[in-house]
Amino acid sequence: MKIIDKIASRERCAEAGWYAWDFILDQPMDDAFILSLRPLGSFVYLSMLSKPFFKIESDYRLIKGLRGDNFFRVAVHDAYRDKLAEVEALVSQGKTE
Amino acid sequence: MIYLNQAASTWPKPPQVLKAHAAALSAVPAGQFRGGSAEAADGMEDCRNRLGTLLGISDFERIYFSSGATDSANAVICGLKLKGRRVFATQTEHNSILRPLLNHKDRVGQVDIVPCDALGRVSPEQVEAMLDTDTAAIFLNHCSNVTGMIQDVSAIAEIAHRHGALLVLDAAQSAGCIPVKGDAWGVDVLVFTGHKSLFGPQGTGGYYVREGIPFSPYRYGGTGRDSRQLIYESGNYEFEPGTQNLPGIAALAAGVAYVLEEGVEQIACKEGALMQRLREGLGAIERVRLYGDARCSGPILSFNIDGLKPADAAYILEGGYGIRVRAGLHCAPLIHRAMGTEECGTIRASVSNMNNEKDVDCLIRAVREIAESLEDAHEDH
């Protein structure tokens, strides 16, 4: 899986001090990719939904997306913007697989 | 796309609004009082006239155009004589009012907040108890953009006047979907936006200031009229400097005409029925908590799903079901203290005259599926 673009998200969570980006992937996310992200934080997966939703959360970072989409959203608290690159590197280097 | 974020900005707009906007943009640009063109001035006066009819303001010539409620609030707060005077705002206010009041420190004296209850209701008795004779104005949000609570404007205006204070009404969320009776209620100043229930484009709005209230502009510039006059020494101010958003005002006029043709009472009735259906449908779902009840009669409902943050619920609704709602504090941070939703806010669904029962039923079904899926959620901590 490769990240082909990174777009500032329309989600306006900035009012709570968080900033979000959509990471655009070269293919739709499947279960294997989603489950490979589990080490990045506490993991919630609503697999019963017709379009399953996942969320991975830590104190300073939040990742969420829907299975079948070719993007996922990453939000970081303003004080931890450097942690954004960490996610990018992990996915691009395939270390989550 | 099922659009239930109408409280943010209405969509779609009635066809006549799109037509009026396109016609104004296609026509040779008219100059407001510039080059002798009467067309633009007529268009603006026509819009003012319609707004006066809708908002119950007979002196409609004192309705001034702006870029929206925030612009209007800044004009009003800077233009009224509030320096060194005490001002009240309610806990339900939007940041379009709160931020200008709290940041124009050189133009506004002490700002105190009148509390509301968990539904967003501001009690006239509470207002009465807090006011003193040094109060310059009360800023009152007519319809909460979080709970849909409608305030008793007439009662609060009467209290304000008895204490020698002005009643400044924020009708951003009510104009076009809830009857507004500016003159009859004793409203001294009224702020509105064009892009919500008036069905105008974003970037339109305005304000009204009753005659006789000391008021000056906070922006100056070209108006195309009496160009040799550089200083307004006589107090004969102009309140619409700069080239006006004439295509926007033409479209706003069409939006207001649409509301007048449909009838604001009929719109309120239709939207009320949709909200009742939504409230009953969501209220029957386990894990769903509603903030507000039938007493909140505006076309807005806040709720949460136990076990899911509002922002995540909105994400699933949009990405998984094609339903657009809004999540968070909705730019009205203080009311959440009364609601107990300060940390993450709420999911907000809001309807317009363009929505129907099918839209509401789709949201209810989607929320039920999401709530049920939480029972089988896979979680690693």
Side-chain angles (χ1 to χ4, degrees):
Chain A
M1 193 77 80
K2 287 180 184 168
I3 295 169
I4 56 173
D5 202 358
K6 196 172 74 178
I7 301 169
S9 167
R10 289 174 299 155
E11 186 175 327
R12 301 292 295 276
C13 49
E15 65 182 352
W18 289 70
Y19 293 86
W21 286 265
D22 285 340
F23 282 24
I24 313 299
L25 304 166
D26 63 343
Q27 54 187 293
M29 293 180 289
D30 57 16
D31 271 339
F33 175 76
I34 291 166
L35 295 173
S36 74
L37 297 172
R38 287 163 76 168
L40 292 171
S42 68
F43 179 77
V44 175
Y45 194 31
L46 305 185
S47 58
M48 299 298 285
L49 290 172
S50 50
K51 202 166 174 184
F53 168 80
F54 70 92
K55 184 168 83 165
I56 299 152
E57 206 168 5
S58 68
D59 289 341
Y60 52 83
R61 183 178 58 210
L62 189 154
I63 302 168
K64 62 185 172 185
L66 294 161
R67 190 177 74 194
D69 279 354
N70 67 339
F71 69 91
F72 62 89
R73 187 160 296 170
V74 184
V76 289
H77 195 270
D78 195 27
Y80 295 92
R81 288 203 192 200
D82 55 321
K83 299 294 181 188
L84 200 65
E86 201 175 272
V87 179
E88 196 170 3
L90 277 168
V91 175
S92 296
Q93 293 164 20
K95 286 184 180 173
T96 60
E97 292 173 12
Chain B
M1 163 69 66
I2 294 171
Y3 187 77
L4 294 171
N5 190 22
Q6 306 285 1
S9 199
T10 49
W11 182 86
K13 306 294 185 188
Q16 52 267 55
V17 171
L18 308 184
K19 194 174 169 188
H21 204 220
L25 283 168
S26 303
V28 175
Q32 174 204 12
F33 301 116
R34 295 169 174 87
S37 169
E39 287 176 25
D42 287 349
M44 292 176 74
E45 296 318 303
D46 181 47
C47 189
R48 266 189 256 276
N49 194 341
R50 290 178 192 181
L51 284 163
T53 302
L54 183 68
L55 302 174
I57 295 169
S58 57
D59 195 3
F60 62 84
E61 290 180 348
R62 295 187 63 81
I63 294 173
Y64 306 110
F65 293 110
S66 73
S67 72
T70 297
D71 191 20
S72 294
N74 277 275
V76 163
I77 287 163
C78 294
L80 292 172
K81 308 305 170 193
L82 305 176
K83 189 173 183 177
R85 305 284 310 280
R86 193 177 186 197
V87 165
F88 284 91
T90 79
Q91 195 175 357
T92 73
E93 301 305 314
H94 189 279
N95 276 343
S96 61
I97 297 289
L98 292 173
R99 284 177 170 165
L101 274 179
L102 295 169
N103 287 281
H104 285 302
K105 292 175 183 171
D106 55 335
R107 294 174 185 261
V108 184
Q110 181 181 333
V111 179
D112 289 309
I113 302 297
V114 183
C116 66
D117 65 17
L119 300 179
R121 181 176 177 272
V122 175
S123 141
E125 293 75 24
Q126 176 83 58
V127 175
E128 175 96 62
M130 291 181 74
L131 253 59
D132 60 26
T133 51
D134 189 41
T135 303
I138 302 171
F139 287 76
L140 178 65
N141 182 8
H142 187 200
C143 175
S144 165
N145 70 314
V146 180
T147 65
M149 174 59 76
I150 310 289
Q151 308 298 346
D152 187 346
V153 181
S154 182
I156 295 174
E158 190 273 323
I159 293 165
H161 294 158
R162 199 151 24 82
H163 289 79
L166 301 174
L167 191 284
V168 181
L169 186 69
D170 175 7
Q173 211 63 63
S174 58
C177 65
I178 302 290
V180 177
K181 299 175 180 175
D183 291 344
W185 290 344
V187 172
D188 298 299
V189 178
L190 185 144
V191 168
F192 66 93
T193 190
H195 68 103
K196 297 182 192 271
S197 292
L198 296 178
F199 292 103
Q202 295 173 343
T204 60
Y207 59 96
Y208 157 77
V209 181
R210 185 169 52 76
E211 189 171 14
I213 295 172
F215 189 70
S216 54
Y218 83 119
R219 292 185 302 155
Y220 296 90
T223 61
R225 209 161 38 176
D226 203 0
S227 291
R228 289 190 182 83
Q229 181 185 13
L230 297 179
I231 297 172
Y232 294 93
E233 288 176 335
S234 67
N236 186 24
Y237 298 117
E238 295 174 280
F239 295 98
E240 293 167 340
T243 301
Q244 295 297 294
N245 178 7
L246 296 177
I249 291 168
L252 174 61
V256 177
Y258 164 80
V259 172
L260 290 170
E261 283 161 20
E262 292 281 308
V264 70
E265 285 84 4
Q266 284 69 31
I267 289 173
C269 187
K270 176 187 171 182
E271 293 179 0
L274 290 175
M275 294 312 293
Q276 186 183 345
R277 189 180 185 91
L278 181 60
R279 200 177 294 114
E280 288 174 1
L282 292 179
I285 300 170
E286 211 172 318
R287 283 181 174 267
V288 170
R289 175 167 181 187
L290 304 181
Y291 300 93
D293 56 27
R295 287 172 287 175
C296 301
S297 53
I300 291 160
L301 175 65
S302 268
F303 65 98
N304 270 324
I305 304 171
D306 183 31
L308 200 59
K309 287 186 175 169
D312 295 336
Y315 187 94
I316 297 170
L317 285 168
E318 181 168 358
Y321 297 89
I323 299 172
R324 180 83 62 87
V325 292
R326 184 173 171 180
L329 301 179
H330 318 299
C331 295
L334 302 185
I335 191 174
H336 291 275
R337 294 180 191 167
M339 297 165 63
T341 50
E342 274 176 281
E343 192 182 344
C344 295
T346 63
I347 309 158
R348 183 187 73 183
S350 50
V351 302
S352 84
N353 200 42
M354 309 302 273
N355 287 113
N356 55 38
E357 291 182 349
K358 192 177 160 193
D359 298 335
V360 165
D361 291 347
C362 283
L363 176 60
I364 295 167
R365 269 199 305 276
V367 171
R368 183 178 293 115
E369 275 186 32
I370 294 167
E372 287 172 358
S373 78
L374 286 162
E375 301 296 332
D376 301 305
H378 178 100
E379 296 187 36
D380 288 346
H381 295 286

